[in-house]
Amino acid sequence: MSSRRVVLNFPPHLIDQPITYHLIRDYDLKVNILRARITPNEWGQMVVDINGNGENLERGLAYLAETGVVVQPLDREVRWLEDRCIQCSACVAHCPTQALTVDRATMAVAFHRDRCIACELCLNVCAYQAMEMSF
Ligand code: SF4
Ligand code: SF4
């Protein structure tokens, strides 16, 4: 099983096409949409996790390229600097993927790196620079 976390950029003429459906049906891939921004007549963007057999994954990515979808690796990473974090939980409500959570019993904040899509929303919220982008 192989996995790829990528950004799919859709030209305007493709945003109403069933591209992810083809990835699932024709290439037997699992497509987990982490974030999507689609506006009529503009370029659309989706952050996805694509999982499946390695060969199918490569064929699926080739299909995307042939179709005109621009695929970019999600190569940015957000890090939680725990020693700077004062556990104020201000960032938690802004995180769209629950990569930042708070335990309501202990009020302890936790960062779940595997859920983070590097959207950067928490970077603007945290007044203590406890969230950092690395490239
Ligand atoms: S906003 Fe910053 S200091 Fe507050 S919990 Fe989040 S990471 Fe920690
Ligand atoms: S960058 Fe911050 S707000 Fe965005 S998904 Fe990652 S932890 Fe959540």
Side-chain angles (χ1 to χ4, degrees):
M1 182 73 80
S2 297
S3 165
R4 209 72 71 79
R5 185 172 284 197
V6 291
V7 183
L8 306 182
N9 297 282
F10 294 85
H13 70 281
L14 288 180
I15 59 171
D16 59 351
Q17 298 298 308
I19 305 272
T20 52
Y21 168 74
H22 282 298
L23 286 177
I24 296 164
R25 190 195 66 179
D26 300 341
Y27 301 95
D28 195 25
L29 296 171
K30 286 184 183 156
V31 182
N32 183 19
I33 300 172
L34 302 171
R35 184 160 55 114
R37 193 183 64 222
I38 307 288
T39 308
N41 303 317
E42 291 182 12
W43 277 75
Q45 196 178 62
M46 255 187 213
V47 180
V48 293
D49 251 335
I50 309 179
N51 297 280
N53 167 286
E55 193 178 328
N56 287 349
L57 184 56
E58 293 308 322
R59 289 175 56 231
L61 292 172
Y63 156 73
L64 290 172
E66 283 162 20
T67 311
V69 178
V70 179
V71 183
Q72 297 172 306
L74 187 64
D75 51 7
R76 298 176 307 167
E77 186 180 53
V78 165
R79 294 191 305 151
W80 179 44
L81 306 178
E82 197 171 351
D83 55 332
R84 289 191 192 167
C85 177
I86 63 155
Q87 306 277 314
C88 70
S89 78
C91 54
V92 172
H94 294 267
C95 178
T97 62
Q98 274 126 36
L100 287 158
T101 57
V102 60
D103 181 325
R104 292 292 165 201
T106 63
M107 294 308 286
V109 171
F111 177 55
H112 310 273
R113 188 181 161 278
D114 57 319
R115 299 180 194 161
C116 178
I117 58 170
C119 70
E120 302 183 35
L121 290 174
C122 57
L123 272 70
N124 299 325
V125 172
C126 180
Y128 301 89
Q129 285 82 48
M131 302 304 295
E132 181 181 86
M133 178 65 76
S134 65
F135 294 88

